[in-house]
């Protein structure tokens, strides 16, 4: 395939960015989207030009590093798929593809398609962990967990922290990510001792990081590559209401 790429180029956080047009030829439909960008970067490097900066690591849809907007869609046109697992067969010969970084106040652009997602780390630092000492690993069935709770916790734990939910949200909210990280612990016995201080700390960290508020637009769940459902935010809200009634926020 021969394609026209319009890519956001920005030299640094304080620099003004712009869309730059590139032509790529003889792209195999079996290539992944990132492999197509690798081909472009190889050609740019051979021509003495600056390659396009983009985040990537595992290229297996696990790490969440490869987030980018592709034709206005977080991770591209195929639902339930990260950009690294998106294949060029989703496009046709002659297409023009717009490629941009995540757009959110909490995710400032570092360079080109790379954004700083440290705000997610600050949310986790607000309470996304278990500090209660548990000693050695217990026998697997020592603490029975209802299957519905185990399934829901696993569903939330599938979140890879890619940031697509934030990029797609009209408010730039990170509430789906926060809800997933809260509920994966609140549904299990190990998470109970800190259940209410956790939700307060993580929601406060979310707001302090500059994310917008959730208005249940639902765009987050549409683009989530792991299919985290919208009712996960409902679980967080229930815990938060109970927490504010029972506990004092952390200082």
């Amino acid at each position: 395939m021969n394609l026209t790429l319009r890519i956001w180029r920005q030299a640094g956080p304080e620099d003004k960015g712009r869309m730059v047009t590139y032509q790529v030829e003889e792209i195999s439909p079996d290539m992944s989207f990132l492999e197509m960008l690798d081909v472009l970067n190889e050609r740019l490097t051979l021509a003495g030009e600056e390659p396009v900066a983009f985040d990537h690591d595992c290229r297996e849809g696990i790490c969440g590093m490869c987030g980018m907007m592709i034709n206005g869609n977080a991770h591209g046109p195929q639902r339930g798929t990260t950009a690294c697992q998106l294949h060029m067969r989703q496009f046709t010969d002659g297409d023009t593809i717009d490629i941009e970084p995540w757009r959110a106040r909490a995710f400032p652009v570092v360079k080109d398609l790379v954004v700083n997602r440290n705000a997610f780390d600050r949310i986790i630092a607000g309470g996304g962990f278990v500090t209660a000492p548990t000693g050695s690993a217990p026998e697997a069935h020592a603490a029975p967990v209802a299957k519905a709770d185990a399934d829901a916790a696993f569903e939330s734990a599938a979140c890879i922290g890619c940031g697509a939910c934030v990029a797609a949200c009209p408010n730039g909210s990170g509430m789906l990510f926060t809800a997933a990280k809260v509920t994966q612990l609140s549904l299990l016995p190990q998470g109970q001792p800190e259940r209410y201080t956790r939700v307060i700390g993580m929601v406060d960290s979310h707001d302090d990081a500059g994310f917008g508020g959730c208005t249940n637009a639902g765009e987050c769940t549409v683009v989530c590559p792991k299919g985290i459902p919208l009712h996960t935010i409902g679980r967080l809200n229930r815990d938060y209401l109970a927490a504010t009634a029972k506990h004092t926020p952390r200082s």
Side-chain angles (χ1 to χ4, degrees):
M1 297 185 292
N2 297 328
L3 303 166
T4 299
L5 307 179
R6 297 193 301 186
I7 303 178
W8 182 261
R9 301 304 307 265
Q10 184 172 337
E14 306 302 325
D15 295 298
K16 186 176 181 179
R18 62 191 178 94
M19 298 294 282
V20 179
T21 301
Y22 301 98
Q23 303 294 328
V24 289
E25 299 83 24
E26 300 181 5
I27 298 299
S28 168
D30 295 324
M31 284 183 178
S32 73
F33 197 84
L34 298 194
E35 287 172 337
M36 181 274 295
L37 290 179
D38 289 337
V39 169
L40 170 64
N41 278 345
E42 183 176 358
R43 295 175 183 176
L44 291 176
T45 300
L46 291 174
E49 300 180 41
E50 182 77 13
V52 177
F54 62 93
D55 263 335
H56 63 95
D57 191 359
C58 74
R59 299 199 178 202
E60 295 179 349
I62 298 171
C63 71
M65 293 294 293
C66 61
M68 59 187 73
M69 301 296 289
I70 302 171
N71 285 342
N73 298 310
H75 289 302
Q78 186 175 6
R79 292 187 64 172
T81 304
T82 55
C84 64
Q85 292 290 290
L86 178 69
H87 284 79
M88 297 309 297
R89 65 180 69 97
Q90 298 294 324
F91 305 93
T92 57
D93 183 39
D95 276 356
T96 295
I97 306 175
D98 290 341
I99 310 171
E100 302 172 82
W102 291 158
R103 302 292 189 180
R105 181 174 60 177
F107 291 163
V109 174
V110 176
K111 183 177 181 180
D112 296 340
L113 305 177
V114 179
V115 299
N116 184 339
R117 291 178 295 171
N118 285 347
F120 273 179
D121 295 333
R122 295 197 291 275
I123 293 175
I124 295 297
F129 44 80
V130 174
T131 62
T134 58
S136 60
E139 197 277 327
H141 301 292
V145 179
K147 186 178 188 304
D149 290 340
D151 288 346
F154 188 82
E155 181 178 61
S156 294
C159 171
I160 58 176
C162 65
C165 53
V166 179
C169 177
N171 307 318
S173 174
M175 198 54 72
L176 187 66
F177 167 83
T178 306
K181 299 306 179 182
V182 166
T183 58
Q184 75 178 62
L185 296 176
S186 67
L187 289 166
L188 299 176
Q190 299 91 330
Q192 297 309 308
E194 298 164 302
R195 178 173 182 174
Y196 296 112
T197 54
R198 174 184 302 112
V199 68
I200 290 175
M202 294 183 73
V203 170
D204 286 351
S205 296
H206 169 279
D207 295 345
D208 291 344
F211 292 100
C214 175
T215 54
N216 291 320
E219 294 294 329
C220 53
T221 62
V222 173
V223 301
C224 176
K226 299 303 176 181
I228 308 297
L230 190 62
H231 64 245
T232 307
I233 299 176
R235 287 197 183 98
L236 176 142
N237 288 337
R238 288 192 293 273
D239 272 8
Y240 189 80
L241 288 173
T244 53
K246 297 178 180 180
H247 293 266
T248 301
R250 305 177 172 188
S251 58

